[in-house]
Amino acid sequence: MLFKKFEQIIKRKNRFNQGERILVGVSGGVDSLCLLDILWRLSEEQEWTLFAAHLNHQFRGDEAKEDALYVERFCKERNIPCEIGEINVPELIMQTQGNPQSVARDARYSFFRQVAERWNIDKLALAHHANDQAETVLMRILRGTGIEGLAGIPRERNEISFTIVRPFLSIYKEELEAYCRQEGIIPRLDSSNLKRSYHRNFIRLEVIPWLEDRVNPSLQDSLNQLSDIAHFENNYIEEIVNISLNQIIKFKQDKKIIIKGRLFLEFHLALQRRMIKLIFNYLVKDHVNVGFIHINQICEWIKEGRTSSQLELPCGVRVRKEYDDIIFTLEVLKGMQGNFYSYIIEVPGRTYIKEINAWISVNVEDQPTDSSPPHGITAVFDYDEILGSLTLRSRRNGDRMSILGMEGSKKVKDILIDQKIPQRIRDRIPILSDDKGILWIPGVKRSNRAKSDIHTKKLLTIYLEKMVDY
């Protein structure tokens, strides 16, 4: 009997403790109804207090409203307290210009956190299963990932006041569907899951079946095995990284960490990268803009950078070198608390600057190109005269720039005033700089440094796209 199998899995994995208050995220589909029904049937024996939460994302009109009513009835039949929420996710997507699935996920988890806090929840149970895990691992492989990414969806994750658990990650959807048939549960069908325009749906409906047919009939088993191996190896590496970082930390507080540079460089590059990422974890909770390129540049900079030099990084993090001290710090600049941003720019590559809703694209080429993006601003530099990494950031107090065609330097503040830039947007104006100083204020002025001429061998062409009213 499938119930007995699921019961053994839940008890063997030891995801729940007796007497806990458990919130189940319920969409109305096969997976979540199966999870809710099994936990409900075990709740009396285990003395669990069970709750349910359903969010209408307002993507599917009446169909979504029917989902909510169905979940409400399902819970009422079992005497399970249920909270139904609504968030206009399509409107959020338009406001943020974010990825639809990512925005929907963020909205859903925000709703779950609110409900969990209100009901004093110990565990939030979610119904991700083995097929979801295989899809996630494959998507990350295709995008490029490390061991952390190969570990896939975490079995457990601690939030501030509760723990997220996923007891079905070793169970395939076919078994969950069989359970629903066996128990007479008729789940709702989400029509959006059939839309191949969504990346995950395309992977699930097109890529995985093709690979199973042409390459490996046991593809999903293999991906889940890879995830399991990576999960345990990643945990082991994290233990080593924590020990290693503690050996080289000279000073640590909420907004500043100082490490010993020479000791840092004695570690293998793999551990160096992990230690940098762990430092970001300490300083910034949400470091979504920090990627491999930033971490790698920090490692290179620690190895090659000059004493007294510094890097500006996303999330307001600055890294400064003072003799052997490598100082990671969060510094809020006076008068710019709400607008400060800083991104290391990938060369060549394309980077999104969310604070001004703009893309910056960088090409390295032997000859100038005639094409330029619509609604964009372009600048060309001598690539060989760029020093260190390129950073696009908001302005800082005391910023100065040597303007093309003029001698000496001038305060950026005065340049913006002269150009009649409204005060309300001056702190959002992007500034491009390298390790030596400011190169360009897009749409305003460029410096006299790194000018291209007949001796230039490589051109660095930079486009700032879709920059409207900053």
Side-chain angles (χ1 to χ4, degrees):
M1 185 178 174
L2 285 171
F3 173 76
K4 286 294 181 185
K5 177 182 178 179
F6 295 160
E7 178 186 14
Q8 289 171 3
I9 288 173
I10 287 172
K11 289 181 176 179
R12 187 175 71 247
K13 296 294 183 181
N14 201 27
R15 300 293 182 206
F16 305 101
N17 300 315
Q18 196 161 10
E20 286 188 318
R21 297 169 67 84
I22 302 171
L23 174 66
V24 183
V26 186
S27 67
V30 170
D31 324 328
S32 58
L33 291 180
C34 184
L35 176 60
L36 182 62
D37 190 70
I38 290 168
L39 293 180
W40 171 70
R41 293 175 65 179
L42 291 172
S43 61
E44 185 174 353
E45 172 197 338
Q46 297 297 320
E47 299 179 3
W48 294 329
T49 306
L50 211 59
F51 303 85
H54 170 88
L55 181 66
N56 178 356
H57 301 79
Q58 297 188 14
F59 274 124
R60 295 175 291 115
D62 290 340
E63 183 183 332
K65 290 179 182 178
E66 286 296 323
D67 288 349
L69 290 172
Y70 178 87
V71 170
E72 203 167 27
R73 288 195 300 269
F74 189 91
C75 292
K76 191 173 182 179
E77 289 169 3
R78 291 158 178 77
N79 249 353
I80 301 170
C82 176
E83 176 147 346
I84 306 294
E86 286 190 5
I87 296 179
N88 192 333
V89 176
E91 186 176 310
L92 279 178
I93 293 168
M94 288 183 64
Q95 291 172 355
T96 62
Q97 297 294 303
N99 174 276
Q101 290 179 305
S102 297
V103 174
R105 183 180 61 246
D106 291 344
R108 189 163 55 250
Y109 278 92
S110 176
F111 169 67
F112 288 153
R113 289 186 187 101
Q114 291 171 19
V115 177
E117 184 177 346
R118 187 157 51 250
W119 282 341
N120 195 25
I121 294 299
D122 298 303
K123 300 278 175 66
L124 167 62
L126 301 176
H128 297 97
H129 47 73
N131 304 73
D132 294 325
Q133 186 70 289
E135 291 166 16
T136 299
V137 173
L138 181 58
M139 287 169 65
R140 292 180 180 178
I141 290 171
L142 295 174
R143 284 200 304 256
T145 190
I147 294 178
E148 291 169 287
L150 292 177
I153 305 169
R155 283 79 172 155
E156 290 191 7
R157 190 179 82 224
N158 291 325
E159 294 277 323
I160 294 174
S161 59
F162 63 91
T163 302
I164 297 174
V165 295
R166 298 178 174 91
F168 279 176
L169 282 178
S170 62
I171 300 171
Y172 284 96
K173 185 158 189 167
E174 291 80 3
E175 293 182 282
L176 302 180
E177 291 171 335
Y179 176 88
C180 286
R181 288 194 298 270
Q182 180 179 288
E183 299 300 325
I185 297 171
I186 303 173
R188 296 285 297 172
L189 297 176
D190 184 344
S191 60
S192 67
N193 287 334
L194 301 177
K195 292 183 178 178
R196 285 163 169 77
S197 56
Y198 292 136
H199 186 59
R200 180 178 282 275
N201 290 354
F202 180 75
I203 293 291
R204 184 179 70 253
L205 299 173
E206 297 284 349
V207 178
I208 288 178
W210 187 90
L211 289 172
E212 287 176 329
D213 182 54
R214 303 291 185 91
V215 181
N216 180 4
S218 302
L219 174 70
Q220 295 191 67
D221 288 335
S222 299
L223 290 170
N224 276 287
Q225 178 180 305
L226 174 61
S227 168
D228 195 57
I229 293 169
H231 168 72
F232 287 102
E233 292 192 359
N234 185 59
N235 287 349
Y236 176 65
I237 293 171
E238 283 185 350
E239 289 179 14
I240 297 173
V241 171
N242 273 285
I243 294 169
S244 303
L245 183 58
N246 285 329
Q247 291 173 353
I248 66 170
I249 286 181
K250 184 175 179 180
F251 175 85
K252 179 182 174 184
Q253 61 175 203
D254 287 347
K255 295 187 177 181
K256 181 183 287 187
I257 291 179
I258 303 175
I259 63 172
K260 302 169 186 176
R262 282 192 293 272
L263 290 181
F264 174 84
L265 293 172
E266 290 178 6
F267 287 96
H268 191 281
L269 179 59
L271 285 181
Q272 290 179 10
R273 289 170 175 164
R274 287 278 190 139
M275 284 192 278
I276 297 300
K277 191 166 186 179
L278 189 56
I279 289 170
F280 269 93
N281 286 341
Y282 285 144
L283 293 175
V284 185
K285 182 181 178 182
D286 179 15
H287 50 85
V288 66
N289 291 317
V290 180
F292 174 78
I293 181 173
H294 303 108
I295 292 170
N296 211 40
Q297 284 178 328
I298 293 169
C299 292
E300 288 293 320
W301 174 81
I302 291 174
K303 182 179 178 181
E304 307 290 347
R306 308 182 308 275
T307 295
S308 300
S309 61
Q310 72 174 25
L311 284 179
E312 302 242 7
L313 299 165
C315 312
V317 176
R318 291 182 173 191
V319 191
R320 190 167 70 252
K321 182 181 287 190
E322 294 181 359
Y323 298 101
D324 190 45
D325 289 348
I326 310 299
I327 304 166
F328 294 79
T329 182
L330 287 173
E331 182 179 344
V332 179
L333 300 180
K334 186 177 180 181
M336 295 169 53
Q337 290 89 336
N339 297 307
F340 178 74
Y341 59 90
S342 179
Y343 294 76
I344 292 180
I345 303 304
E346 191 170 353
V347 180
R350 195 163 179 258
T351 307
Y352 180 64
I353 314 299
K354 69 175 184 179
E355 287 81 0
I356 58 173
N357 188 26
W359 288 91
I360 184 164
S361 301
V362 182
N363 294 325
V364 179
E365 49 206 2
D366 296 326
Q367 297 292 331
T369 178
D370 292 331
S371 63
S372 61
H375 312 300
I377 301 172
T378 309
V380 179
F381 300 91
D382 187 325
Y383 175 73
D384 294 323
E385 291 190 23
I386 302 298
L387 300 179
S389 59
L390 283 177
T391 301
L392 196 77
R393 60 172 174 82
S394 51
R395 69 184 180 121
R396 303 194 306 250
N397 290 335
D399 270 342
R400 301 185 70 90
M401 184 176 81
S402 301
I403 301 174
L404 183 65
M406 293 178 58
E407 294 185 3
S409 64
K410 190 171 184 177
K411 287 183 179 180
V412 168
K413 177 182 177 181
D414 293 337
I415 295 172
L416 298 179
I417 291 172
D418 291 346
Q419 295 297 308
K420 295 182 171 54
I421 304 295
Q423 186 173 2
R424 63 182 174 80
I425 64 170
R426 287 176 199 162
D427 287 343
R428 299 183 66 202
I429 295 283
I431 292 175
L432 183 77
S433 63
D434 64 2
D435 285 359
K436 188 174 180 180
I438 296 173
L439 292 163
W440 184 35
I441 307 175
V444 182
K445 293 286 182 182
R446 66 155 289 163
S447 78
N448 57 15
R449 288 185 46 231
K451 294 181 293 184
S452 61
D453 55 30
I454 58 172
H455 303 293
T456 298
K457 296 178 181 177
K458 287 186 177 180
L459 293 170
L460 184 77
T461 305
I462 303 176
Y463 305 122
L464 190 65
E465 307 169 41
K466 200 183 173 184
M467 188 182 67
V468 180
D469 196 28
Y470 296 101

